Amino acid sequence: MPLNRRTFLGTSAAAGAGVAMAGGVAAPAEAHGRGPGRPPKRYAFTVMGTTDLHGNVFNWDYFTDKEFDDKAHNDVGLAKISTLVEQVRAEKGRHNTLMIDAGDTIQGTQLSYYYAKVDPITAKRGPVHPMAQAMNAIGYDAAALGNHEFNYGIPVLRKFEEQCDFPLLGANALDAKTLRPAFAPYVIKRMRTPHGPDVKVAILGLTNPGIAIWDKANVSGRMVFPGLEEQAAKFVPRLRSMGADVVIVSAHSGTSGTSSYGDQVPYVENAAALVAEQVPGIDAILVGHAHLEIPEYFVENKETGKKVVLSEPLKWGQRLTLFDFDLVWEKGRWVVERAGSRVLNSNTVAEDPKITGLLADEHKKVVAYVNQVIGTSTAAMTTAEAAWKDEPIIDLINVVQAETVKAALAGGAYASLPVLSQASCFSRTAQIPAGNVTIKDASGLYPFENTLEARLLTGAQIKDYLEFSARYYVQTAAGAPVDTAKLTNAGNTPDYNYDAVSGLTYEIDIAKPNGSRIVNLSFEGKAIDPAAEFVLAVNNYRASGGGNFPHVPGAKQLWANSEEIRNTIIGWVQAKGSVDSARFASVDWRLTRDGVPVF
C-alpha cells in the first residue's frame, strides 16, 4: 500500500472518531422509576478487555508445535477469550457490554508472522489477517495501538486496520507533518437504558512513545508519538464536553512510571498510572505493554481526589479483564457511582469452536510452515541454563551475527576491526535438537522481528556496556548459597535485557555491587585496551536505545540491513546444512565470586 495522505490518515477521518450504538436494553432488575420515596434510576454495564495478544488465536505454541503450557498451566489465545466473552454476555446481556483491547496484536507468534511476511495481507488479493478475523468474530468495539503494531511497517498496519470491523485508536500517534492524529483517537459508544437517555461511553486510545525509538526505521518522518499524559489532557475534557458520561482509556503503557529508554525521548514509557493521577475526568484505564496481571488497582486523581480503576489482563489472552460500572441518574445526567475490575482466567474454559473453525485452515498452513526442515544439528542445544551460563545455543546467534557483519564490512574501511556480537536469552525453553532442525526451532531461538546493525565502540564503552548488562544478577555474597530461581532478573530486568557479548572473555563477579562486576575483560588473551575500536553486531532494538544500554544508540552506525535476524539464522543453517556446535561454541564469560566460578 503506498504511503500517501489518504492511506496515512486512514480511518482517523478528521480525528473526530465515530459515535456508535451499542444498542440493547438494561436488565429489568436494574430499572427503578423516579417518584416520591423511590430510589434514583440506575444502570449497570461491563467493559471487557484484553491486551498484548501478540498473535495468539489458538491455545498453541508454534515454537514447540504443541498445545501451550507453562508452570502455572495457563492457556492462551482468542479462542479461549471468545468463550469467556460469550459467558459474560449471556450473564450481563450482550447489549450491556463492550469489548476493547490495549494493543500489541499482530506480532508475536508464527501465525501472525506468516500473514505479515510469508503470505502477507498486503499482497494483491491477499488473505485477511487471522487476528482481524478472530477479533471481528468476537465483536470487539475498539483496540488501542501497541508498539509492536509497527514492527512490520505502516502498510501492513494500515491493511490490518482496514480489515478490522472496529477502530484502531491512537490519540498520541500523530502525523509528523500535520501533528494531527494519524489514527482515530477515540470512539463513543451509546448504551441504551430503560430510562430514556443513553449512556455515552467514550473510549480513548493511547499508545507508547517508545515506538519512535524501537521502530524508528518504520515511523521516522512519518509519525511522532507525544506523551500519554499530554494527549489525554487534551482529549478527556473534549470527550466530556461532547457529553461522555463515562471515559475509559485503553493505554498500551504500564503502570510503573518508568522507561526502558532513559532520556532518549522526553516521554514516560509506562505512564498509565500517571495518566490516572494527572488527568481528571477518567473513570477507568485498561493497561497494556508490561505483560503483568493487575486485576484491580486504584489511583487517586490529584486534582479531583476521585479514584480511577486500572486493570491489566495477563498477556496472550491468558486473562480477560472485566470493568463493572454502576451508574445513577443525578441532576439530569448519568454519574458513575461505582467502578471496579477483576480478571477471568482463560484456562477455565474450552476454546470456542466458532473461532477455531473459522481459522482452522490458517492454523494448518502455519503448522506445515514451521515444520519445514532447514538443516541438521550434531548435538542438542538448549537455553534452559543460558541465563547464567555461556551456552552454545546463544553462541549460535552470535556466530551468525558476527559472520554476517564481517561479510558486510569486507573490503571497506572497517574490515580490519574485530567484530563482537551481543545476544540475549529470549526464551528459556528454546532448543535446537540433535538431528533435523526446523523453522520452528530457529524461530523459537529468536522470537522477535529484530534486524541487525554494526556499531563502532571503544574498549572502554564495551566495558560500560557489560557492566550495565551485569545488573541483571542479584548481588550474592561469596560463600552464600546460589539459587538460580532467584539469581537473575534483578530490578525486574527481563531476560531480553541481559546481553552476553562474544568475541572477548570476561567474568561477572556477582558478589560485587553494580558498576564494578566486570573483571578480567580480555581480547585475544590480553587486557582490553580502553581506546581500541571494535565493531559490535547488535540488534536494532538495542541500537535504537531499547533497554537503555549505554553508548550504542549514539555510536557510529557502520552497516544495517532490513533482514530479520531470525531469517538470517534460518538462512545460515540452510547454507551450512549442518550445525556443529564444536566449531563455534566457547566459554567467553562466566559468573564468579572473588575469582571462584559459581558454576
Side-chain angles (χ1 to χ4, degrees):
M1 177 185 293
L3 186 66
N4 54 42
R5 176 177 171 81
R6 184 184 62 81
T7 57
F8 185 73
L9 293 177
T11 58
S12 60
V19 177
M21 285 286 190
V25 178
E30 299 289 345
H32 296 279
R34 273 289 196 183
R38 291 191 178 187
K41 302 172 184 176
R42 299 184 185 277
Y43 176 67
F45 72 99
T46 296
V47 177
M48 298 173 281
T50 53
T51 191
D52 296 275
L53 292 168
H54 283 288
N56 285 279
V57 173
F58 297 84
N59 186 39
W60 196 259
D61 185 344
Y62 293 97
F63 297 131
T64 61
D65 196 25
K66 59 185 179 182
E67 184 175 330
F68 177 88
D69 196 22
D70 62 12
K71 291 180 180 179
H73 301 297
N74 288 301
D75 288 345
V76 301
L78 279 170
K80 292 266 184 174
I81 290 296
S82 182
T83 301
L84 291 175
V85 168
E86 290 308 312
Q87 288 180 354
V88 173
R89 286 171 173 162
E91 175 191 350
K92 305 284 186 179
R94 182 182 182 92
H95 302 298
N96 299 316
T97 65
L98 295 173
M99 182 71 190
I100 64 176
D101 183 82
D104 275 6
T105 304
I106 60 172
Q107 177 278 335
T109 65
Q110 286 296 286
L111 180 72
S112 54
Y113 176 83
Y114 187 89
Y115 287 98
K117 292 286 191 176
V118 182
D119 184 12
I121 60 174
T122 49
K124 188 176 182 180
R125 292 188 293 275
V128 176
H129 200 289
M131 295 302 288
Q133 292 191 58
M135 294 173 82
N136 289 343
I138 291 170
Y140 274 77
D141 293 288
L145 293 164
N147 53 283
H148 283 288
E149 259 66 83
F150 294 85
N151 285 174
Y152 297 117
I154 292 173
V156 169
L157 175 54
R158 285 302 188 191
K159 189 63 178 180
F160 174 71
E161 178 188 30
E162 178 186 310
Q163 293 176 340
C164 292
D165 294 340
F166 52 90
L168 300 183
L169 306 178
N172 62 326
L174 310 182
D175 181 315
K177 294 181 180 179
T178 67
L179 297 183
R180 296 177 60 196
F183 295 82
Y186 60 84
V187 66
I188 297 177
K189 311 292 288 188
R190 288 181 180 269
M191 314 294 289
R192 286 185 173 168
T193 79
H195 308 302
D198 297 338
V199 174
K200 290 183 179 180
V201 182
I203 303 162
L204 177 69
L206 296 169
T207 192
N208 206 289
I211 295 166
I213 295 174
W214 304 322
D215 268 302
K216 182 178 181 180
N218 290 327
V219 302
S220 182
R222 300 178 179 184
M223 295 186 193
V224 293
F225 302 88
L228 284 83
E229 310 99 301
E230 172 187 328
Q231 291 302 100
K234 289 182 180 180
F235 279 99
V236 171
R238 183 183 305 178
L239 293 170
R240 289 294 185 181
S241 69
M242 293 170 63
D245 302 296
V246 182
V247 174
I248 301 167
V249 174
S250 184
H252 193 75
S253 182
T255 61
S256 67
T258 61
S259 296
S260 68
Y261 43 71
D263 58 1
Q264 292 180 76
V265 295
Y267 309 113
V268 176
E269 175 182 353
N270 295 299
L274 295 174
V275 171
E277 181 182 80
Q278 297 178 14
V279 181
I282 297 170
D283 296 292
I285 301 179
L286 178 65
V287 178
H289 184 62
H291 289 200
L292 299 176
E293 180 176 348
I294 304 175
E296 184 179 62
Y297 173 50
F298 288 97
V299 174
E300 184 175 297
N301 184 267
K302 282 186 174 181
E303 182 175 326
T304 65
K306 176 184 174 181
K307 289 186 177 180
V308 182
V309 62
L310 286 73
S311 180
E312 180 176 9
L314 197 57
K315 64 183 186 298
W316 305 347
Q318 295 178 63
R319 302 289 186 273
L320 175 70
T321 279
L322 302 186
F323 289 108
D324 292 312
F325 296 93
D326 293 330
L327 277 63
V328 62
W329 183 259
E330 289 183 352
K331 298 178 180 179
R333 60 184 291 257
W334 288 107
V335 177
V336 175
E337 188 175 49
R338 190 196 71 86
S341 64
R342 55 196 168 103
V343 296
L344 302 181
N345 194 328
S346 65
N347 72 4
T348 62
V349 296
E351 292 184 308
D352 187 343
K354 174 183 69 176
I355 303 300
T356 56
L358 178 68
L359 294 166
D361 289 343
E362 287 84 347
H363 177 65
K364 289 176 183 177
K365 285 181 181 179
V366 176
V367 168
Y369 165 74
V370 301
N371 280 290
Q372 292 179 46
V373 174
I374 56 174
T376 61
S377 178
T378 58
M381 296 180 283
T382 175
T383 57
E385 297 184 329
W388 55 85
K389 290 182 182 179
D390 187 350
E391 292 284 10
I393 196 166
I394 304 299
D395 292 338
L396 174 59
I397 299 175
N398 277 326
V399 74
V400 172
Q401 293 183 162
E403 287 188 6
T404 302
V405 167
K406 286 176 183 177
L409 297 180
Y414 300 95
S416 62
L417 292 182
V419 176
L420 312 178
S421 178
Q422 62 79 223
S424 303
C425 176
F426 294 118
S427 165
R428 299 193 187 188
T429 60
Q431 57 185 337
I432 301 293
N436 287 341
V437 178
T438 63
I439 286 177
K440 75 171 185 288
D441 300 323
S443 299
L445 179 59
Y446 214 110
F448 295 105
E449 277 67 47
N450 296 339
T451 57
L452 188 61
E453 297 191 15
R455 297 283 178 128
L456 184 66
L457 279 83
T458 65
Q461 290 175 326
I462 290 292
K463 187 176 187 298
D464 288 346
Y465 188 99
L466 292 172
E467 288 285 8
F468 185 90
S469 186
R471 303 186 313 165
Y472 172 73
Y473 294 106
V474 173
Q475 187 172 2
T476 309
V482 176
D483 181 355
T484 56
K486 300 177 180 179
L487 177 64
T488 63
N489 307 102
N492 295 317
T493 302
D495 290 348
Y496 62 78
N497 274 342
Y498 168 67
D499 286 359
V501 175
S502 72
L504 36 70
T505 58
Y506 59 98
E507 297 171 7
I508 303 173
D509 191 331
I510 60 173
K512 295 182 183 296
N514 289 336
S516 58
R517 290 181 168 182
I518 302 302
V519 295
N520 297 326
L521 178 59
S522 302
F523 175 69
E524 294 184 341
K526 297 179 182 179
I528 198 166
D529 179 356
E533 290 187 323
F534 296 88
V535 177
L536 180 65
V538 59
N539 69 54
N540 69 303
Y541 174 78
R542 192 70 79 236
S544 297
N548 201 28
F549 277 62
H551 304 306
V552 175
K556 184 175 183 178
Q557 184 190 77
L558 307 182
W559 172 84
N561 77 349
S562 59
E563 181 71 18
E564 292 159 8
I565 294 171
R566 172 171 54 208
N567 286 341
T568 302
I569 295 171
I570 291 170
W572 188 90
V573 174
Q574 288 174 321
K576 298 290 185 183
S578 176
V579 177
D580 183 359
S581 59
R583 294 184 177 181
F584 58 78
S586 62
V587 178
D588 295 329
W589 64 273
R590 63 180 40 144
L591 301 185
T592 61
R593 289 181 294 184
D594 294 342
V596 179
V598 177
F599 302 105

